[in-house]
Amino acid sequence: MNLIPTDIEFERLSASEDAAYMLKKITGGGSGRTGAVFEARFIAFCILEEAIDAKTYETPLADVRLGVQVRSYIDDFIVARKRTVNWYEIKSGETITWESGERRTIAENFVSQMVLDLGRGLDASYHLVVPTRRVETDLEASRSYKVRDVKINMLPNTDDIDDIETEYSWFPRDLWRLIPLHAPRRDFKDLYVGLQGVVLNLPNNVLRDLEHIAKALHDRYEGAFTCIHDASLQPRTREVLERVPGVKVAVCGDQLHFRCTKPTVRGKVDGCRIGELSGNSFEQEIQLRIPTTWDALAPILWRDYGGH
Amino acid sequence: MDIDWSEATEAALLRQGRIRIPAELPREERVGLLLGGLLREKISVRNRTIQVVVRAADWPFLRGFITSLVQSDDAEDEPAEIAVTCYWNKYFKLSLEGPLPDIAPVSKEYSGVEATSVGITAFLTSGIGEPAAISGNIRRARERCSSNDLLILTPAASDVEIEQLKAYLYEDRIYDAHLLVGAAPKNQHLVRRFLRQNASENLTEDTYALPSFLDQVRDRYREYRAGDLPSPLW
């Protein structure tokens, strides 16, 4: 079954005035610059969380599907795993109440969505995302019994990783899984903002899986970031590399990261996708040349392997 | 962010001969020498540790810059230690197409600093047209090691670029930067005729040799300070 409700489902399963509203509603856009940025930040945050989870528990990236500006009552963002669905309404305003909204209030939209999902037999949960603790507390205090099942999530409206850490301490810690070997924290901010760039270019009202997003991230930034499962080096390559004094290597996604203590260098090999054509030519180079010193290894690490 | 202007770069580039810089040196090296001179005018380097932060694309300026730091009539005026931190960035101008800021992800990083704090951090750049690379790299360097004084040195900068840079530094929580510009905005176009801004990705082939070279420069300077070498220059 399609997770995005169809017109027929709106008509059959929603109250008639709700359905009439929905069928006329224009979805997507119109939330202004601040709204769009906060939405992108939250969605990028969720994608990172899902990508880290998928890596940790080794679940297929295709299992998680995401959609932005979906045509439904709660429309900002949807995360779906099989038939389990999370709906997100993302509000950047600092004066949001349950009664906010021009034609319909936030509370009304949540209730209509719950009724619709009940009729469709979906296992769904509902989230309202806000940018400050104060808004969260106010909403908690003023909610009516109808929206008692709506979870209120708070994400600081910032790109700064330290600010997010004050609320989610796991966030920077787990990002090591995506950029390893003592990367400076500032690198995580680039990844976070870069992912927002991908989010802003996702098509409206279409569900895409994490695999698609990982590919978009790789293609858009020419391999600067990756969030796919880790490939592995051929044992012989690893053996040669780690025999060079001070050198450590780690494969993260399809990228090869390295670190050396003398000289103090860290980084990744450009355009080298381990397990793909470019990765193989890199590994071949290492195995043929067998560098034993940093000076012999450096030119091989600095070459761009084309990213094929 | 405080800003200081100087006429030095224009003088060197446009009216060669009136300044005591050998005209036969490559242009980047001459500008590096001048920017080093600017730094010394602004701040005392005497017995302090200097961390020079640079993008790999701007390394041709580095030789002149370091030379001018160690050239002194009185050995007592010399810095205690010179260490370079170098970043290989890529640059993506996200700000051109929407509400997001630019990003400058790092593909490689070399750090010659061993201490956790230094006296002066000097960011040396050919231009400030890529503000995300400047603020991002300074924040990265700060994460590894703190500093008392932070200076950004560039041969030329336009007013628009300076405003942009301020915004990026503010976003990265860098409030104490001091910008030293070699040429006033009105003369920027003249300087740019002779000296272009290097894009982060515009690298020469041999930058792989930089980490070992910069380690040698640092170690050589240490030996010189210890009295084991007659000259600090390589």
Side-chain angles (χ1 to χ4, degrees), chain B:
Chain B
M1 181 170 73
D2 300 327
I3 307 168
D4 272 297
W5 310 99
S6 159
E7 309 268 309
T9 318
E10 301 145 63
L13 285 170
L14 308 176
R15 281 164 275 148
Q16 293 165 8
R18 281 173 58 184
I19 277 188
R20 279 186 310 151
I21 300 260
E24 67 276 8
L25 288 180
R27 203 169 272 154
E28 283 84 2
E29 196 164 336
R30 266 185 284 152
V31 173
L33 276 166
L34 282 159
L35 291 176
L38 262 184
L39 175 89
R40 298 184 71 131
E41 265 174 40
K42 184 71 204 164
I43 201 166
S44 163
V45 295
R46 183 178 187 153
N47 224 2
R48 298 178 80 184
T49 305
I50 301 185
Q51 176 192 28
V52 185
V53 185
V54 70
R55 292 177 304 157
D58 283 335
W59 82 270
F61 294 83
L62 201 56
R63 181 187 282 265
F65 188 73
I66 295 178
T67 307
S68 81
L69 289 183
V70 300
Q71 266 177 349
S72 181
D73 297 338
D74 186 353
E76 299 243 318
D77 281 341
E78 289 170 356
E81 182 161 333
I82 296 172
V84 180
T85 299
C86 184
Y87 294 98
W88 284 256
N89 295 93
K90 293 194 169 187
Y91 204 85
F92 299 96
K93 295 207 163 178
L94 303 189
S95 61
L96 287 184
E97 53 180 85
L100 298 176
D102 293 350
I103 55 172
V106 162
S107 89
K108 295 177 187 72
E109 164 190 5
Y110 160 78
S111 174
V113 187
E114 283 161 1
T116 51
S117 91
V118 293
I120 302 169
T121 294
F123 191 98
L124 178 66
T125 176
S126 56
I128 57 171
E130 292 188 350
I134 299 176
S135 72
N137 290 346
I138 292 177
R139 172 100 180 229
R140 284 181 184 95
R142 280 258 160 116
E143 219 177 281
R144 303 258 193 243
C145 113
S146 66
S147 62
N148 296 331
D149 291 300
L150 171 65
L151 297 108
I152 301 169
L153 297 114
T154 177
S158 71
D159 290 338
V160 179
E161 287 173 336
I162 292 172
E163 283 310 309
Q164 268 182 351
L165 177 64
K166 275 186 190 167
Y168 276 89
L169 288 172
Y170 188 80
E171 276 296 309
D172 267 318
R173 314 283 155 86
I174 298 158
Y175 307 119
D176 60 336
H178 199 111
L179 180 67
L180 298 185
V181 190
K186 66 175 165 37
N187 293 330
Q188 195 194 211
H189 62 288
L190 293 174
V191 173
R192 286 284 169 241
R193 263 172 58 198
F194 295 93
L195 193 75
R196 61 190 175 84
Q197 295 200 41
N198 292 330
S200 287
E201 284 178 82
N202 192 3
L203 294 173
T204 49
E205 290 276 310
D206 53 352
T207 57
Y208 64 82
L210 271 180
S212 297
F213 169 70
L214 294 171
D215 255 13
Q216 277 170 27
V217 170
R218 182 196 57 196
D219 295 346
R220 199 184 154 87
Y221 189 69
R222 274 185 194 163
E223 283 174 42
Y224 163 76
R225 290 280 289 176
D228 297 340
L229 280 179
S231 158
L233 297 173
W234 51 88

Side-chain angles (χ1 to χ4, degrees), chain A residues 84-102:
Chain A
T84 316
V85 179
N86 287 284
W87 296 100
Y88 293 91
E89 180 69 33
I90 306 170
K91 292 286 177 201
S92 65
E94 301 206 359
T95 51
I96 288 295
T97 67
W98 291 106
E99 306 310 319
S100 304
E102 281 170 25

Side-chain angles (χ1 to χ4, degrees), chain A residues 41-54:
Chain A
R41 281 178 177 158
F42 180 76
I43 294 169
F45 178 80
C46 282
I47 292 174
L48 286 174
E49 194 178 3
E50 294 293 344
I52 292 166
D53 266 13

